[in-house]
Structures are given as structure tokens and as C-alpha cells.
Amino acid sequence: MPKNLVIVESPAKAKTIKKFLGKNYEVMASNGHVRDLPKSTLGVDIENDFEPKYITIRGKGEVLAALRKAVKKADKVYLATDPDREGEAISWHLYHALKLENKKCSRITFNEITKSAVKDSIKHAREIDMDLVDAQQARRVLDRIVGYQISPILWAKIKRGLSAGRVQSVALRLICDREEEINLFIPQEYWTLTALLDVKGSRKPLEAKFAGNQDGKVEIHSREEMDELLEHLKGKEFQVDGVKVSERLKKNPLPFTTSTLQQDASSKLNFATQKTMRIAQQLYEGVDIKGKGTAGLITYLRTDSTRISEEADASAKEYIREHYGEQYVGKASQAKKNDDKKVQDAHEAIRPTDMSLSPASIKEQLSRDQFRLYQLIWNRFTASRMAPARYENTSVKISAGEYRFTASASKIAFDGFLSVYNINNEKSEGNGMIKSIDEETELKLNDFESKQHFTQPPAHYTEASLVRTLEELGIGRPSTYAPTISTIVARRYVVKEKKNLYVTELGEAVNNMMKKAFPSIVDVNFTAMMEGLLDMVEEGKVRWKSVIENFYPDFEIAVKNAEKELEKVKIEDEVTDVICDQCGRHMVVKYGPYGKFLACPGFPECRNTKPHFEKVGVPCPLCGGEVVLKKTKKGRKYYGCENNPECEFISWQKPSTVKCEKCGSYMIEKGKKLVCSNKECGHVCKMPEETEQKKASAN
């Protein structure tokens, strides 16, 4: 009969660990949390020092009964949940739910699920770390207070079923702010000039880019300036002024943290953050490997540290030495703490648990997605222990009278870590014949190539760039990035199209209300400060209830004010002149998951619905019909003609009635300015006062 009971979160993890421990150990899974705050009520006693009221989670009765039975038979219990705040809290809840006070009970943690790591953890068993538990309790209580007290206001003011949250509301604000920044962006015109120069003995011309004059850099802003420059360059002789050859080192990357793994998996594998975490969890918990049994392939997946153990570092370098050669071995470990931001350095970076298990050797035992993610992690870690790549750069300075041009070329002299992990598919680039050029080389002008460009607006957030921004701002932690993004997408506050995140009409309404009523909740600095306080709770420097006590009074006032003063977003049954083609009633405006739509007031007898197109008071530039506000299938707003599909007019920005005085194209609104829709024109003018007043009154 087993004398020791080991409790973990998941059955997959239990299966893997069971194979490492002998018959004296029984391994069982709790299937995540067994206790939590109740769903039906706030579950936090505001009047009694914010004491949380934990209850057994519905459906966990059988699991707990089986665990209690096993506890009675065991001499010793080991709580082996994940090595982070959440895992520590699960262990603490298990301790109380299973009444382990009078039982020999220890907490064990391991950063990787391997035989040696699991057995070593038993040798270093400890008590439950209450600082970690309290940090989780503080986060849970804060999130519950915010969510349960703001959400009813959102239901009353906008639509039932909405939610707010400390981190999700800030993430939504970031996306909304970026959207506004893009909408207000006014492109600036600029030009580039390339001289195509014939070099004796070379078939291809040398491409030299205009750099400025003898006084420094010169920018070209218009066709007129370009024409003037070309006039000045007429008849000028091109001469080589100098050739410089230099070496550039490209440092190897750091191993993955949760954030950088999510970013890389998004850009290289097109994985959503949630998918990345799900597959990484499978690789961590264990996969059946031929000849080795079940093995955890990677270390713990929730970490913001780039630290690597000495053993792992030595193992990786030995592998590199054997398979690539001594020159490919990195001279020193690059991994270190980031001094610029708070790093919870409890675990190592994400790495393979066994370097000998190369992706190719175990490909047949993995699913396609498991293989691709494991290969990404394995390659990145291997590259982090390798030597930098070395480039040979050649630059040529060329003069044409008082004007200056440059030509350059770069080639990889030593690929180093790029042999394993080529980040941007880098290769040698530039003018191939440049190495044969010296100061005596004769140059002859063949032609000029001038190009018009416009500055580009900031890019829309993707899941990857949003994660990077949240991390840089200190908002959320490795465990929260994926669920935060999943929540705002599931709530239809934002939609994902071709990786980009766009705010919906619903998202705008929620964000505007949050900014008006709860500015501190959606304030980036405030949220980052709260994260810092939670870290201090974890370090034992701050009492967890003190964090709640300091937060709640101001929050309570904001909730009461919001309930009294906020005007309802106008979403009630607004009657329209559109007639229901099934029963003849006037259709009304309703609010759905993607925003407004038309519905028959005769529901449920008549279930007829239609898209709601809001007229914007602008005639279509193509056919003269009405321009209306439309939404894509996913909820993204755009402007189109009411005569679609006969008329194909479409614009992401609101068109104006004003025509461009330069080219005659229609203008689009950008804040208080109008910009020509013709990208080759780029004319900008001030918005007419009448239009500006109408816009202000609408807002």
C-alpha cells in the first residue's frame, strides 16, 4: 500500500510523475482549484477586513472525496502544484479542504517534470509559502471587487453580460488609444533619391543613396524639392571619397520568457497566445517518448526570468561543441536579470529539459503543433548558448559636387547562432560589386531613381505586440497575458483580423464609460503600481489586506458616482423608418455582440433582423448615394455606400463633403484636419468650422 500521496493539478502531470516515483507513492490530480470565491455573490466581506469567503467549486465534490479517501490511507502528503503564486494558492486551498493540519504534509516544487527534478524536490520539501499565497489572494480579491462592482454598471448602461477587469480594461484602453492614434495620423510626404552608377567591369550598376550635402543630412519633402535637387545635380561628376570596411557582431538572443515565447510563436507559427500556452503546458506536463517513457520536454512555462541553471548551460554548450564545433560555443552566459523592470526570478527561462532530445529525433512522437513549438523553444535556447554572428560591412562614400551619396553592403562572415535560429531570415545583402571599389574607381552616372513616400501610422496591435506592451508597462504577469487577450476577444470588445486587433463599437462604448467613470482602473501607471504592490506582498514586505484597504475607499466612491451620474449609452429601442418586410412593423435599433443592429419589435413572434446602417450625412464620392457606417462580419467599423454592391465605395475613415483643392479627390476626416484620400497627393487642410462644430456636438 502506498505510504506517500502526491497531489498535482492535472491528470497529465500526475501520469508523468507517477512513472518517476516507486510503488510507495500514489499520485492524484485536483484538476486545478478546488476552492474559490462564489460566483453568485461578491464573496468578499467588505465590512470584516475584506475577508474572502471561499467555497468548494461546483463539481469538485467527487474529486475532493477521492482525495480525502487517499489522504486517510497515506502517511505523508506532498502538495506538488505549479511553482508560482497560483500553484501555491491551490496547495493552500487543498491543505484546508482536505484538513491536512494534523497530517504530515509538505510542499514540493519543480521547474521541470523530469525524474531527477521530481526526486530532488522531495528531498527539499518545505512548508507552504504564505507570502506567495497572500499575493494570489490579493490579486483574486482585487479582481473580484473590480469585476463584480463595475460589471453591473456596464449591464445597466450598455448591455447585459459585459465585464470589466483590472488588467483587461487597461488592455482594451491600450487598443482603443492606438486605434485613435491611427485615425488621427496625418501622413507626411518625403522622397528618396538613388543614383545608378556604372562601374567599369561590372554589368550591374552601383546603387548609391542620396545622403545630403557637405553640411549634413538633407530631407526631401516634395516633388518641387526633388526637381530642384535633380537640377543642381545636372553635370556633376561622381567620385569615390572613401571606402570603409568594418565588422559588426549580432548578439545571440536570450532564452524565452512567457512573453517572448508568445510573441515569437505568434509571428513565426501564427499561434494565438492561448494556443501557445495550451501546447506549452502539454510539453511541460509530459509526452510519451519512445525508449524514455513519459517525459516533460520543457521547463515551467510561466516565467519572466531569462536565468539558466549552470547544469543546463553546461549541457547546452557540450551539445553545441559536439554538433557544431568549438567556435560556435558562446563564451559566457548572456542570461541575466533585467534591471529596468520587476522580474519574478523564481524560475528559469523556458528551455528544453534534455538537450539530447532534439526536435528531429522525437518528431514522430509529437503532434504537428507540439513539434513546431518545441522546435522553436529548442532552437532559441540552443542559440542563446552559441557565439554571436559576425558580419563584414562595407560602406562607400560618394560625392557629386557639394552633394553626398552612400552605398553599402553586408555579408555574413560567421553565422554563429544564426545556424540554429535565424530570426529574420537574415542573409548577405547590398551591392555585390562593392568589394572591388576603391578611391581610384571611376564612376559614371547612368540614371536617377526618385520615389515618393508617405510616413506610415503606428501599426495596429497584434496579440504579440500587445503582450510586449503589457510587459514593458509592467501590467499583468506571465500567467495573465493569454487569458486577458482571450477575454476581451470573447467579450467582442475587440476582433482579430489577419493578426491585427481592432476595437468594436461595443469595445468603444465600454472603454469610454470606463475612462469617464473609473479613470484610475484604466490608468496604465496605476495598474502597474498595483502589480508592484502585489510583488511586494509576495516578498513579504506588505500585508495583502493593506493593498485592498488602500484601494477600496476611492473605488467605492467612483462606483457610487457612476451609478448616479452616468448617462445611459443610447441603445434603447430607437424606432427607425425601416419597415419589417415580414410583419410590417417599424424596426428598432438593438445592441448585439458586434454592436447595433435592426430587429423587429414583434419578437418572439417575428424574429426578423437586419444590419443597422447609420447615415453620416455625406454623399458617396462615386455614385452620389448616402454614405453609411457599416461593420465587417467581425464588428470592425468602416464607411460604405448604401448602394453596395452596385457601388464599391469603401473607406476606413469618415469621408468629407470637401473636395481636395489640388487633385479633386474626396477628403477624409483626421481629428480637426482633412486629408486627401489620394495617397499620391497627400494634401492636408483645416476642417471647416461648420463640420468641426457638428463633430463636437455629436461627441
Side-chain angles (χ1 to χ4, degrees):
M1 185 187 292
K3 294 181 181 177
N4 302 291
L5 174 65
V6 180
I7 304 176
V8 297
E9 294 106 321
S10 75
K13 192 173 173 182
K15 182 185 170 187
T16 307
I17 293 170
K18 180 87 172 165
K19 293 183 178 179
F20 300 151
L21 301 171
K23 49 189 171 184
N24 284 332
Y25 289 84
E26 175 69 32
V27 186
M28 296 180 72
S30 69
N31 293 301
H33 275 279
V34 293
R35 294 200 315 174
D36 196 11
L37 301 172
K39 285 188 176 181
S40 56
T41 60
L42 179 64
V44 179
D45 192 342
I46 305 292
E47 307 300 322
N48 185 25
D49 199 22
F50 302 96
E51 190 64 30
K53 300 173 182 176
Y54 296 114
I55 62 164
T56 300
I57 295 170
R58 186 177 289 178
K60 287 296 176 77
E62 284 185 27
V63 173
L64 279 173
L67 287 170
R68 287 187 184 113
K69 197 172 175 182
V71 165
K72 283 180 184 176
K73 294 177 183 175
D75 294 334
K76 187 157 189 184
V77 178
Y78 293 97
L79 300 170
T81 50
D82 284 346
D84 57 10
R85 290 175 186 169
E86 206 66 34
E88 206 73 21
I90 292 173
S91 282
W92 180 71
H93 283 298
L94 283 166
Y95 182 86
H96 288 286
L98 301 174
K99 298 182 170 63
L100 298 175
E101 297 89 346
N102 301 317
K103 200 86 182 176
K104 282 186 180 176
C105 177
S106 298
R107 172 84 167 110
I108 59 172
T109 57
F110 29 82
N111 194 47
E112 58 189 68
I113 304 177
T114 57
K115 191 171 182 176
S116 58
V118 172
K119 288 199 164 182
D120 189 60
S121 71
I122 291 172
K123 291 177 190 172
H124 296 92
R126 58 170 174 82
E127 290 186 355
I128 290 171
D129 185 334
M130 283 309 298
D131 290 335
L132 275 174
V133 174
D134 287 347
Q136 192 273 345
Q137 286 200 94
R139 177 184 290 280
R140 188 76 186 93
V141 169
L142 268 176
D143 289 347
R144 172 56 66 97
I145 289 172
V146 170
Y148 271 50
Q149 298 209 12
I150 293 180
S151 295
I153 297 172
L154 291 174
W155 295 5
K157 310 296 180 187
I158 303 176
K159 173 182 175 291
R160 286 192 67 81
L162 303 181
S163 71
R166 257 185 346 102
V167 177
Q168 78 173 56
S169 296
V170 176
L172 175 61
R173 178 174 185 171
L174 289 171
I175 296 167
C176 289
D177 287 353
R178 175 63 59 85
E179 196 94 5
E180 189 175 358
E181 198 179 341
I182 293 167
N183 288 337
L184 294 176
F185 179 82
I186 297 172
Q188 302 294 317
E189 184 182 4
Y190 70 98
W191 288 71
T192 55
L193 179 66
T194 302
L196 304 177
L197 305 168
D198 290 334
V199 181
K200 199 173 179 180
S202 175
R203 290 183 184 178
K204 284 181 75 177
L206 176 68
E207 295 181 9
K209 297 188 184 299
F210 176 71
N213 56 28
Q214 54 202 5
D215 298 323
K217 190 177 178 182
V218 173
E219 291 182 347
I220 311 163
H221 300 103
S222 64
R223 163 61 76 183
E224 290 75 25
E225 288 181 17
M226 175 58 74
D227 290 342
E228 191 179 339
L229 174 63
L230 290 171
E231 189 64 34
H232 284 307
L233 284 165
K234 270 185 182 175
K236 295 281 194 296
E237 282 190 21
F238 284 77
Q239 295 178 326
V240 177
D241 273 357
V243 180
K244 186 181 177 184
V245 179
S246 60
E247 189 176 83
R248 173 173 66 90
L249 289 179
K250 186 173 183 66
K251 285 186 178 179
N252 49 325
L254 294 170
F256 280 134
T257 61
T258 304
S259 163
T260 53
L261 175 63
Q262 289 173 346
Q263 291 167 50
D264 243 38
S266 173
S267 59
K268 291 185 172 62
L269 309 179
N270 204 22
F271 284 6
T273 51
Q274 198 82 343
K275 181 176 180 176
T276 300
M277 296 306 283
R278 186 178 72 252
I279 296 165
Q281 187 77 28
Q282 294 165 7
L283 296 173
Y284 167 68
E285 290 185 344
V287 177
D288 285 326
I289 303 298
K290 207 170 181 178
K292 285 188 176 279
T294 307
L297 296 180
I298 64 169
T299 53
Y300 191 54
L301 59 147
R302 294 179 182 89
T303 177
D304 50 10
S305 170
T306 54
R307 180 177 58 81
I308 293 293
S309 70
E310 288 180 11
E311 296 83 0
D313 185 54
S315 168
K317 287 177 177 176
E318 185 54 44
Y319 182 92
I320 295 162
R321 193 174 286 112
E322 186 181 329
H323 289 82
Y324 294 90
E326 184 65 43
Q327 70 272 32
Y328 281 87
V329 179
K331 299 295 181 239
S333 173
Q334 212 188 351
K336 57 187 179 184
K337 286 189 183 183
N338 188 334
D339 296 325
D340 298 329
K341 65 178 192 300
K342 179 70 186 173
V343 173
Q344 294 173 284
D345 202 40
H347 329 297
E348 291 181 61
I350 302 169
R351 61 166 176 82
T353 57
D354 185 349
M355 282 300 294
S356 68
L357 295 176
S358 66
S361 69
I362 60 170
K363 186 176 182 178
E364 298 304 315
Q365 281 90 59
L366 303 176
S367 70
R368 182 173 180 268
D369 285 341
Q370 285 175 339
F371 169 74
R372 293 171 76 204
L373 191 66
Y374 180 64
Q375 186 180 46
L376 193 68
I377 294 167
W378 194 92
N379 287 353
R380 174 82 166 223
F381 174 65
T382 306
S384 77
R385 315 336 285 167
M386 294 177 83
R390 201 165 62 248
Y391 289 80
E392 187 184 278
N393 295 333
T394 307
S395 62
V396 180
K397 289 183 179 178
I398 299 167
S399 63
E402 69 269 33
Y403 296 104
R404 301 289 179 265
F405 288 76
T406 60
S408 62
S410 176
K411 71 171 185 178
I412 298 173
F414 172 64
D415 58 359
F417 77 90
L418 291 175
S419 60
V420 174
Y421 189 79
N422 197 334
I423 302 170
N424 298 313
N425 203 22
E426 295 187 23
K427 49 192 177 193
S428 302
E429 57 184 34
N431 296 286
M433 83 292 285
I434 208 167
K435 50 187 170 186
S436 61
I437 292 175
D438 56 33
E439 292 186 17
E440 304 302 316
T441 303
E442 289 185 18
L443 303 174
K444 187 180 177 184
L445 178 65
N446 182 314
D447 201 0
F448 284 118
E449 239 179 41
S450 62
K451 285 185 182 176
Q452 183 190 38
H453 308 270
F454 289 92
T455 54
Q456 295 300 306
H460 286 277
Y461 276 117
T462 61
E463 287 195 13
S465 61
L466 183 60
V467 165
R468 184 167 63 247
T469 303
L470 289 170
E471 184 184 40
E472 287 170 354
L473 295 171
I475 295 164
R477 287 293 177 259
S479 59
T480 63
Y481 301 138
T484 296
I485 294 170
S486 295
T487 299
I488 59 176
V489 171
R491 299 284 183 198
R492 307 203 197 282
Y493 298 162
V494 301
V495 293
K496 197 160 73 167
E497 287 184 16
K498 295 179 180 176
K499 284 194 176 183
N500 289 335
L501 297 172
Y502 299 97
V503 67
T504 63
E505 188 179 16
L506 184 60
E508 276 183 5
V510 170
N511 183 58
N512 289 337
M513 202 210 81
M514 291 296 296
K515 282 198 303 186
K516 186 176 179 181
F518 305 100
S520 64
I521 298 295
V522 291
D523 181 76
V524 168
N525 295 325
F526 176 80
T527 308
M529 182 197 73
M530 293 301 292
E531 292 290 355
L533 285 172
L534 294 175
D535 291 339
M536 290 176 75
V537 173
E538 182 175 325
E539 292 160 13
K541 295 176 180 176
V542 174
R543 181 173 156 270
W544 79 265
K545 286 185 179 179
S546 299
V547 176
I548 315 296
E549 286 163 4
N550 288 325
F551 165 81
Y552 189 73
D554 290 342
F555 176 73
E556 186 183 28
I557 293 167
V559 169
K560 285 178 179 174
N561 287 341
E563 288 171 341
K564 288 178 191 173
E565 298 168 17
L566 266 179
E567 291 177 5
K568 272 200 175 186
V569 177
K570 196 177 177 182
I571 54 153
E572 292 92 22
D573 292 355
E574 178 190 335
V575 181
T576 70
D577 55 2
V578 179
I579 304 296
C580 175
D581 47 25
Q582 291 186 16
C583 69
R585 295 179 174 95
H586 282 269
M587 299 189 84
V588 297
V589 178
K590 294 278 189 183
Y591 219 95
Y594 299 104
K596 295 174 183 175
F597 67 97
L598 293 179
C600 181
F603 182 89
E605 292 84 20
C606 181
R607 296 174 177 265
N608 190 22
T609 61
K610 290 183 178 182
H612 174 61
F613 298 137
E614 190 179 320
K615 294 179 180 179
V616 296
V618 176
C620 173
L622 298 184
C623 74
E626 283 274 2
V627 172
V628 292
L629 185 61
K630 295 187 170 186
K631 288 184 283 293
T632 66
K633 286 181 180 177
K634 289 190 174 182
R636 186 184 171 197
K637 290 196 308 184
Y638 71 97
Y639 297 88
C641 182
E642 65 176 352
N643 296 326
N644 182 272
E646 288 79 18
C647 179
E648 294 180 351
F649 172 75
I650 181 173
S651 173
W652 294 109
Q653 275 85 36
K654 187 179 177 182
S656 168
T657 53
V658 179
K659 299 287 184 187
C660 176
E661 61 188 36
K662 279 193 172 181
C663 71
S665 301
Y666 71 92
M667 308 283 279
I668 55 176
E669 294 182 7
K670 292 269 187 177
K672 293 183 178 181
K673 292 190 176 178
L674 297 177
V675 179
C676 182
S677 60
N678 179 2
K679 289 183 179 178
E680 291 182 4
C681 173
H683 177 60
V684 179
C685 67
K686 196 179 175 190
M687 186 181 287
E689 280 187 28
E690 187 184 343
T691 310
E692 202 175 316
Q693 287 167 5
K694 280 184 185 175
K695 195 171 178 180
S697 62
N699 293 334

